[in-house]
Amino acid sequence: MVDYHAANQSYQYGPSSGSNGAGGGGSVGDYMAQEDDWDRDLLLDPAWEKQQRKTFTAWCNSHLRKAGTQIENIDEDFRDGLKLMLLLEVISGERLPKPERGKMRVHKINNVNKALDFIASKGVKLVSIGAEEIVDGNAKMTLGMIWTIILRFAIQDISVEETSAKEGLLLWCQRKTAPYKNVNVQNFHISWKDGLAFNALIHRHRPELIEYDKLRKDDPVTNLNNAFEVAEKYLDIPKMLDAEDIVNTARPDEKAIMTYVSSFYHAFSGAQKAETAANRICKVLAVNQENEHLMEDYERLASDLLEWIRRTIPWLEDRVPQKTIQEMQQKLEDFRDYRRVHKPPKVQEKCQLEINFNTLQTKLRLSNRPAFMPSEGRMVSDINNGWQHLEQAEKGYEEWLLNEIRRLERLDHLAEKFRQKASIHEAWTDGKEVMLKHRDYETATLSDIKALIRKHEAFESDLAAHQDRVEQIAAIAQELNELDYYDSHNVNTRCQKICDQWDALGSLTHSRREALEKTEKQLETIDQLHLEYAKRAAPFNNWMESAMEDLQDMFIVHTIEEIEGLISAHDQFKSTLPDADREREAILAIHKEAQRIAESNHIKLSGSNPYTTVTPQIINSKWEKVQQLVPKRDHALLEEQSKQQSNEHLRRQFASQANIVGPWIQTKMEEIGRISIEMNGTLEDQLSHLKQYERSIVDYKPNLDLLEQQHQLIQEALIFDNKHTNYTMEHIRVGWEQLLTTIARTINEVENQILTRDAKGISQEQMQEFRASFNHFDKDHGGALGPEEFKACLISLGYDVENDRQKQTGSMDSDDFRALLISTGYSLGDAEFNRIMSVVDPNHSGLVTFQAFIDFMSRETTDTDTADQVIASFKVLAGDKNFITAEELRRELPPDQAEYCIARMAPYQGPDAVPGALDYKSFSTALYGESDL
């Protein structure tokens, strides 16, 4: 069975595709474009059209018969798309979408489009082929579409030696017919006219079916009919061509020939035994050839490697020394170049040679061939022996080179060492004689003298340390003389100069030490005075700086106590000023004594006191600054004291007013709470009383305004706390706003109760009973009931869950009824109570206000319209129908109400609907909030 499930590759198919491909792997669109010049002119040539019709029809029927059907006219039988979809299902093995069975043109177009979409889903780009042309019976488009299907499902998956589709099929034909005389397949048209190629294909795979030697090239009709009949009878390949059509056509139709030949390819694709045998022989020969190639490579590489070893060993055994280190280093560089450049490739060649030898022996053993024996002197062992000799010579050569270089380096090293040590010593002595002769101690201070003495001691230590270097320089010069160094004369001259200079430095060092010690004794007395001055001047200077900092420090105080504390501290500071002045005079006397001693002993003092930077001028200047800052500080503290006294007055003034207004607001809030709970008299009386109470509250507003003015003064003075009151302006504002809100909400609540009473017809007694019950269960007097409190309140009022209405128990009042309920253990059901809570607490806050309670009780105790009653009323207006029309609404209702209903009623969707029908049921439920309006 032919496998038509081809790979999902994207090609462009069509009757006039112009795509170009490359090589044997090109697309079907590629090779269709190769014949584009003649194909375009002869596409509907009568002879070609006849061949294509017959071939394509036979090819289609060869697959449709598997589904129990066939076609007669290829451009007519595919017009409704049914058999076209069936054909695609058979050749692809996949299910297509369900076809449309209608007879209309649109049904046919839809079926053909489903088939074309399936072809496109297989990676085929249909060019200029549309469903309308197929439905209209366009012969050109129909044949082009069938050719596209044949290419995709019968030819595209043909692959021979990395070529596919048309090229693969042509290569397969060429390979199979190559041994036959008079057969030269170069194309799919004139190469098949004499019929020999068809017979050769059959004979190559089934030689018992064809007597090929009896066929004659000049009798093409007989040849063609013979091949067609044998293929149909024995190979199950239907006859798709007429011999006369092929012979009588100058150039048979290529598509028809390719379609027919592809059937042979699929029929014979399993006959590969001969090819397998040939491949086995080729494989054996290839192995043998590869082994021979490896043997030749081994012989060649072994000869080259041995020759290189023979030439290299004498070079490595040369031991003639050179006179200079540069020449020996050049030899070493040559040797390193040999190691880096010349030897690594040879190491690789030796390794590769061994690998090739082992690989060759393994391949020979695996293929049952005798082991390889290299020619004389080229064995692996011969190569290893030569390589070992090479490495021994290489090791000895390297050791000799390094020893020679070390010997020459020793001599150069000594000369360089002498030059280096001499240069270091000369650099160290440079300027030392001038330094030792300098009389800088004559104008130095005691600290400078001590520093110069320590510096001189350090120099003496350094001088002693350099004694070893001088001795080393002399020893190296002696060794170079003994080794007969070529530049010994310059070495000796330089060494003598260093020794002479060394003796002169020793004499100058001793003279300088004596001069420094004499000067040190003369300055010690003056230094003691400077030190005493510094010890007393430093803390006094710090005291003055701290005093100036404190006197100029910014201060921030918020209370009168804080400023009084600062004034007290400042007075204490002023009391210490006389003692400070006496300390200042004593410090200045020490400085004057040091100056007197220096002048009397003709000592030149350079610079200021070495122990401190605080001069007498600085002390006097800062003392004057302190004297100036004290009165300024006095003035600033007095100003701040006056300011804090004013702030304290503002605090007391605000606190006095706030301590009146705050409690008044709190008292009024409590009174409103009691009023809202008690509510004596009629609702109108309660409302009048509340409004009078509201006016009294509003009349109190000037007191709040006065407090605001006082608070404004406090803010302007930047006063942030007030210990005289617990009330802030923000607290009082919030309390005032809550008071106004509470009285307004209470008034509104009473007004709503009046509206509810009048609208629902609730008596004053009922309203009072509702209020009494609500207040009774409002334990915290918060104006709202929790779920359990609300539940108990309902039970106390006789609410019946079963009948969803208020139970009337004769003349029993609420107290008696409450006692009866409690004694009988009556309680509300959870489901019913949850429904009630969703009505009175739609926001799920967990609290029921009195207004919500009144609204609920008014609904439960009065007769109101329901959604069902409204629906029943609409049904009467509609004449007992499930819907109503706009005309009926306008007839039965006032104009404005009729238009209101028409604008909001949705169209009726029931099975008995008529044009213009409106749904009055959903409208009615929406009026009562049971659905969206």
Side-chain angles (χ1 to χ4, degrees):
M1 175 120 184
V2 179
D3 181 14
Y4 293 114
H5 298 279
N8 188 15
Q9 302 175 5
S10 179
Y11 297 101
Q12 293 189 2
Y13 299 146
S16 59
S17 175
S19 300
N20 294 324
S27 67
V28 175
D30 296 333
Y31 63 69
M32 287 181 63
Q34 296 171 2
E35 311 285 354
D36 190 46
D37 294 334
W38 58 266
D39 196 13
R40 189 182 299 108
D41 297 330
L42 301 177
L43 183 61
L44 290 182
D45 179 81
W48 280 27
E49 182 179 3
K50 180 180 179 182
Q51 292 178 23
Q52 286 190 14
R53 283 178 179 275
K54 181 175 180 64
T55 303
F56 293 177
T57 300
W59 185 85
C60 292
N61 285 332
S62 69
H63 296 288
L64 287 173
R65 68 184 180 185
K66 299 174 186 176
T69 186
Q70 64 178 9
I71 61 173
E72 297 296 331
N73 189 331
I74 194 169
D75 52 355
E76 288 292 328
D77 294 346
F78 286 138
R79 292 179 63 183
D80 60 1
L82 296 176
K83 289 187 177 181
L84 178 59
M85 295 178 69
L86 181 61
L87 174 64
L88 291 172
E89 288 186 344
V90 171
I91 63 177
S92 68
E94 298 179 23
R95 295 290 297 174
L96 270 70
K98 185 177 180 180
E100 300 180 9
R101 296 296 180 179
K103 299 298 183 180
M104 298 175 66
R105 174 179 173 83
V106 66
H107 298 139
K108 297 178 181 180
I109 290 175
N110 289 341
N111 289 336
V112 174
N113 274 328
K114 291 177 181 179
L116 296 179
D117 291 342
F118 178 80
I119 296 172
S121 71
K122 296 301 179 181
V124 179
K125 184 176 181 182
L126 298 168
V127 180
S128 303
I129 298 178
E132 291 79 5
E133 288 83 358
I134 305 302
V135 173
D136 293 337
N138 187 312
K140 173 183 176 181
M141 295 301 173
T142 302
L143 293 175
M145 177 189 66
I146 298 301
W147 174 239
T148 298
I149 296 172
I150 293 171
L151 285 177
R152 175 60 182 85
F153 294 99
I155 297 176
Q156 176 184 321
D157 59 341
I158 295 174
S159 177
V160 178
E161 293 188 8
E162 300 182 357
T163 60
S164 59
K166 176 182 177 181
E167 289 78 12
L169 183 61
L170 182 62
L171 179 59
W172 179 78
C173 294
Q174 291 171 344
R175 292 289 177 82
K176 297 302 180 182
T177 61
Y180 294 87
K181 63 180 180 180
N182 297 325
V183 176
N184 183 16
V185 178
Q186 298 297 326
N187 48 56
F188 287 107
H189 36 82
I190 59 177
S191 294
W192 304 83
K193 284 189 67 175
D194 57 9
L196 294 178
F198 290 110
N199 285 277
L201 283 178
I202 298 173
H203 185 267
R204 178 65 182 270
H205 296 90
R206 297 287 299 276
E208 73 277 10
L209 300 180
I210 298 290
E211 294 181 19
Y212 185 84
D213 293 336
K214 294 183 180 181
L215 300 175
R216 303 198 320 273
K217 187 175 181 64
D218 59 353
D219 191 5
V221 175
T222 300
N223 298 339
L224 290 167
N225 284 327
N226 181 64
F228 297 164
E229 291 168 3
V230 169
E232 187 173 32
K233 183 176 181 181
Y234 297 102
L235 303 179
D236 197 27
I237 298 175
K239 186 178 180 181
M240 301 182 185
L241 302 169
D242 285 330
E244 291 76 14
D245 294 339
I246 296 175
V247 173
N248 296 330
T249 303
R251 187 189 185 108
D253 179 55
E254 184 183 47
K255 298 180 178 62
I257 298 295
M258 283 181 64
T259 303
Y260 190 53
V261 172
S262 69
S263 299
F264 283 89
Y265 173 86
H266 291 292
F268 294 135
S269 59
Q272 300 295 331
K273 292 182 179 181
E275 291 187 9
T276 303
N279 290 337
R280 181 177 293 109
I281 294 172
C282 292
K283 181 178 180 182
V284 171
L285 293 176
V287 170
N288 198 62
Q289 290 173 342
E290 183 181 2
N291 290 340
E292 290 179 357
H293 179 68
L294 289 175
M295 293 175 188
E296 293 173 359
D297 286 349
Y298 177 84
E299 292 286 345
R300 176 177 55 79
L301 290 174
S303 298
D304 293 345
L305 184 58
L306 288 170
E307 175 61 22
W308 179 79
I309 293 172
R310 185 189 64 78
R311 288 186 285 102
T312 304
I313 289 176
W315 175 69
L316 295 173
E317 292 177 343
D318 181 15
R319 299 291 192 272
V320 178
Q322 301 297 321
K323 295 181 179 180
T324 65
I325 191 171
Q326 288 77 15
E327 292 175 330
M328 290 306 297
Q329 285 176 341
Q330 182 59 47
K331 275 185 170 289
L332 180 60
E333 186 62 32
D334 293 341
F335 177 72
R336 289 173 178 167
D337 188 60
Y338 154 79
R339 280 274 185 86
R340 292 193 304 266
V341 179
H342 301 290
K343 186 180 179 182
K346 298 305 178 183
V347 173
Q348 184 65 29
E349 288 179 13
K350 179 178 178 295
C351 180
Q352 189 63 44
L353 192 65
E354 293 174 357
I355 292 172
N356 291 350
F357 181 80
N358 293 333
T359 302
L360 175 59
Q361 299 292 33
T362 301
K363 289 186 176 182
L364 291 172
R365 183 172 65 256
L366 294 176
S367 59
N368 296 321
R369 305 291 198 283
F372 168 61
M373 182 62 65
S375 58
E376 184 68 24
R378 294 186 177 90
M379 297 289 290
V380 174
S381 59
D382 297 330
I383 295 173
N384 287 335
N385 290 335
W387 193 264
Q388 186 176 3
H389 187 192
L390 174 73
E391 289 189 336
Q392 290 174 352
E394 179 182 313
K395 182 178 180 183
Y397 187 67
E398 184 179 18
E399 292 176 354
W400 175 77
L401 283 173
L402 294 176
N403 288 334
E404 281 296 310
I405 289 174
R406 289 192 192 100
R407 184 183 68 84
L408 294 173
E409 280 181 344
R410 173 62 180 166
L411 193 59
D412 284 352
H413 173 69
L414 284 174
E416 181 60 29
K417 188 175 182 180
F418 174 83
R419 289 191 291 270
Q420 183 180 8
K421 286 184 176 294
S423 296
I424 293 174
H425 178 77
E426 290 167 351
W428 179 82
T429 59
D430 185 32
K432 294 295 188 293
E433 291 185 13
V434 175
M435 182 268 295
L436 292 172
K437 295 176 180 179
H438 189 212
R439 302 175 67 88
D440 50 350
Y441 52 84
E442 293 180 348
T443 58
T445 64
L446 178 61
S447 59
D448 292 337
I449 287 295
K450 291 182 178 296
L452 289 174
I453 291 175
R454 289 192 293 271
K455 182 178 179 182
H456 189 71
E457 289 172 351
F459 173 75
E460 288 177 331
S461 298
D462 196 13
L463 185 68
H466 277 76
Q467 178 68 35
D468 291 339
R469 179 179 291 116
V470 175
E471 293 174 356
Q472 290 174 6
I473 291 172
I476 294 171
Q478 180 65 28
E479 187 175 359
L480 287 173
N481 285 322
E482 292 173 355
L483 294 174
D484 195 21
Y485 181 58
Y486 74 94
D487 199 19
S488 296
H489 174 72
N490 290 329
V491 170
N492 293 333
T493 302
R494 191 173 185 182
C495 181
Q496 186 61 44
K497 181 179 178 181
I498 289 172
C499 292
D500 294 341
Q501 187 184 34
W502 184 254
D503 295 337
L505 287 176
S507 177
L508 290 172
T509 299
H510 179 72
S511 300
R512 183 172 176 82
R513 167 170 279 280
E514 291 179 348
L516 289 173
E517 289 176 349
K518 180 181 179 180
T519 306
E520 178 185 16
K521 293 178 181 179
Q522 296 174 349
L523 292 175
E524 282 181 347
T525 303
I526 296 175
D527 183 70
Q528 290 296 326
L529 292 172
H530 281 168
L531 180 60
E532 183 180 359
Y533 172 87
K535 287 180 179 179
R536 297 180 67 173
F540 185 73
N541 181 66
N542 290 337
W543 177 85
M544 288 191 296
E545 288 181 347
S546 298
M548 287 189 294
E549 182 178 354
D550 292 340
L551 291 171
Q552 297 178 91
D553 187 24
M554 299 293 296
F555 53 84
I556 299 177
V557 295
H558 300 288
T559 63
I560 189 66
E561 290 81 4
E562 292 177 354
I563 189 60
E564 289 176 351
L566 290 177
I567 292 173
S568 175
H570 183 63
D571 292 340
Q572 185 177 359
F573 166 76
K574 289 191 293 183
S575 66
T576 64
L577 290 179
D579 292 338
D581 189 35
R582 286 190 291 272
E583 176 66 12
R584 178 180 67 85
E585 294 293 340
I587 293 171
L588 294 178
I590 293 172
H591 176 74
K592 291 177 180 179
E593 179 64 15
Q595 291 290 333
R596 186 190 65 75
I597 294 173
E599 291 174 358
S600 63
N601 291 281
H602 305 288
I603 297 175
K604 297 179 180 178
L605 297 177
S606 61
S608 59
N609 191 321
Y611 298 106
T612 181
T613 58
V614 180
T615 65
Q617 292 78 11
I618 293 176
I619 291 176
N620 289 329
S621 174
K622 290 184 178 179
W623 178 255
E624 291 177 2
K625 182 68 173 178
V626 170
Q627 295 296 317
Q628 294 171 0
L629 290 174
V630 168
K632 292 182 179 179
R633 185 72 169 185
D634 290 335
H635 179 71
L637 290 172
L638 291 175
E639 283 186 350
E640 184 63 29
Q641 184 180 31
S642 175
K643 176 182 176 183
Q644 290 304 321
Q645 290 173 349
S646 174
N647 290 350
E648 182 66 13
H649 173 72
L650 291 176
R651 287 191 186 95
R652 293 180 181 276
Q653 179 179 278
F654 176 84
S656 175
Q657 184 69 12
N659 290 334
I660 296 173
V661 174
W664 183 87
I665 292 175
Q666 186 174 356
T667 300
K668 293 303 178 182
M669 288 289 292
E670 294 173 355
E671 290 178 358
I672 293 173
R674 287 194 300 272
I675 292 172
S676 64
I677 292 174
E678 296 171 358
M679 290 296 183
N680 298 320
T682 65
L683 293 177
E684 285 76 4
D685 294 339
Q686 296 173 14
L687 180 61
S688 176
H689 179 63
L690 286 172
K691 288 185 176 181
Q692 290 177 359
Y693 200 82
E694 182 184 30
R695 284 192 295 273
S696 68
I697 291 173
V698 173
D699 292 340
Y700 195 76
K701 182 66 165 55
N703 295 290
L704 197 71
D705 295 337
L706 176 61
L707 195 63
E708 285 283 2
Q709 295 173 4
Q710 294 171 350
H711 178 68
Q712 179 67 27
L713 295 176
I714 285 179
Q715 286 186 323
E716 292 174 355
L718 299 178
I719 299 173
F720 302 105
D721 57 353
N722 193 340
K723 66 181 180 179
H724 304 295
T725 181
N726 293 326
Y727 293 99
T728 66
M729 194 64 224
E730 184 63 27
H731 293 158
I732 291 177
R733 289 194 194 105
V734 172
W736 177 258
E737 292 171 358
Q738 290 179 345
L739 179 63
L740 294 178
T741 301
T742 301
I743 187 62
R745 185 168 57 243
T746 305
I747 292 173
N748 178 256
E749 186 177 298
V750 174
E751 290 174 342
N752 288 337
Q753 292 176 24
I754 294 172
L755 291 175
T756 302
R757 181 198 64 188
D758 296 343
K760 302 298 183 178
I762 300 175
S763 65
Q764 181 67 27
E765 291 74 13
Q766 286 178 306
M767 185 65 73
Q768 290 177 348
E769 182 180 7
F770 292 156
R771 166 55 76 177
S773 297
F774 186 88
N775 290 342
H776 175 77
F777 290 99
D778 185 11
K779 302 298 183 182
D780 59 355
H781 304 294
L785 300 180
E788 293 302 323
E789 294 174 337
F790 178 62
K791 188 175 184 180
C793 183
L794 290 179
I795 294 174
S796 72
L797 291 172
Y799 187 81
D800 186 359
V801 177
E802 301 298 330
N803 296 320
D804 196 15
R805 61 185 177 82
Q806 192 175 22
K807 184 186 296 183
Q808 301 298 328
T809 56
S811 60
M812 187 181 301
D813 60 15
S814 61
D815 292 334
D816 294 335
F817 183 65
R818 185 183 305 110
L820 175 62
L821 290 174
I822 295 173
S823 66
T824 57
Y826 181 78
S827 63
L828 288 170
D830 290 339
E832 174 61 16
F833 182 68
N834 290 335
R835 182 194 69 79
I836 295 173
M837 282 300 294
S838 67
V839 173
V840 298
D841 183 20
N843 296 325
H844 303 289
S845 63
L847 296 174
V848 180
T849 64
F850 181 69
Q851 186 61 43
F853 174 71
I854 291 297
D855 291 342
F856 173 75
M857 295 306 299
S858 65
R859 287 197 298 270
E860 297 297 320
T861 57
T862 58
D863 184 19
T864 58
D865 294 329
T866 66
D868 291 338
Q869 292 173 337
V870 176
I871 291 173
S873 300
F874 272 117
K875 193 166 187 178
V876 172
L877 297 182
D880 206 32
K881 297 192 298 295
N882 291 324
F883 59 86
I884 193 169
T885 65
E887 182 181 356
E888 291 171 337
L889 288 171
R890 292 188 177 100
R891 183 178 67 245
E892 301 293 342
L893 297 178
D896 57 339
Q897 295 180 349
E899 296 302 326
Y900 177 85
C901 295
I902 293 170
R904 287 163 176 77
M905 283 187 181
Y908 178 68
Q909 303 294 339
D912 53 342
V914 300
L918 301 175
D919 187 355
Y920 60 77
K921 291 183 178 180
S922 61
F923 174 75
S924 300
T925 57
L927 288 176
Y928 287 87
E930 300 177 13
S931 65
D932 294 333
L933 186 61

